[in-house]
Amino acid sequence: MSNTNRKLSAATKIAQALHYLDPETGAIVPPIQTTATYARDENYTPRKPYWYKRDGNETTSHAEKMIADLEDATDSLLFSSGMSAATAVIDHLDQNAHVVVPRAMYHGVLHQFQTYAKKNRLRVSYYEAGDLDELNSVIQNDTALVWAETPNNPDWAVTDIAKAASIAHAKGAKLLTDCTGTPPCATKALNFGADISMHSATKYLNGHSDITAGVLSVRSIGPYWDDIALSRKIQGTVLQSFDAFLLIRGMRTLFLRVERATENAVRIAHHFENHPLVETVLYPGLASHPGNAVQLIQTGGLFGGMMSLIIKGSPQTAIDVTRFCQVFYPATSLGGVESLIEHRATVSGPDFPVHPNLLRLSIGIEDVEDLIDDLEQALERANS
Ligand SMILES: *Cc1c(COP(=O)(O)O)cnc(C)c1O
């Protein structure tokens, strides 16, 4: 029986780029708008909504509409990288504002907070990612922003977004979530109470490791959102149209890619969980992970492809595993179709709290047997 009242599912809408269809030509793929400037109309009035490329463009707007749809957001803004999106939020805070951020998190964002704190631009308090009691104990009556990365780099600690939101809101603070590890086909952070949902669209949203992009999505728009849009326009950090085209193309397969990456990651996590050469597998999809129950709710079981392995032996053993992999690339980043492996302590430097034997794995969409065999041979070689 047909049910014409049922709303189209997000998977359908995103696969069709929101059923894009050019009314004049019938083209079903959005064009790449390359113009740097827009002519005024016959009354010498600027046409809406753009007047210059630094404002944005039609291609980027289409990608923003797709993400807003995925996020159940009122509006989304795309930036030239996750870091420029994050920085737009950080920079928008008032002089001397108080923020609460995780002690360990994506290193670039942590670096920004530390830099702003050093210059006395912000007051920063820290909490252990996922630890809501500690968050509650460091938040202040005048806290402006709580930053939560969930799942959190590099051990994938899970923050209960709804609970973090009520702690933040009780003090009049905004909650920003960075759920880059579980894109909005898995976690719609605004639905759990986040005020701003941030993603590095470089990662799962694009999924093909060929652009950098970042996005902020919100439900309630107002002067602060206009300020953030203005800072993007003034600084020229808008995502450019060629990259937006690649992002639209990448997002069409988002659901498929994240499903396959999750399937592969679950297999790999179980395979290495009690492995003689592996100390610990950190993956929220495992029942042994402390965030498993919350993440089941926050992802609907689509745990994604991010995990870390703590390797037995010395830090050099862990580095050797990355050197000996032949299928996994020894590269930074995550969320692409190809699997990556990375020794985090080498990449994040001496000041960052990370286990010296931790390898971060971004599981791609390859044949899972090839991935398991590759890790097995690399572990064996590193230990011989
Ligand atoms: C990659 C990443 C960022 C930064 O995004 P870029 O696109 O590399 O600038 C921020 N947060 C998380 C969790 C990330 O993985």
Side-chain angles (χ1 to χ4, degrees), residues 81-83 106 109 149 153 178 180 198 200 202-203 212-213 334:
S81 69
M83 282 311 305
Y106 183 77
V109 176
E149 183 179 313
N153 270 287
D178 176 350
T180 295
M198 183 220 136
S200 166
T202 309
K203 315 295 170 56
T212 64
L334 61 96

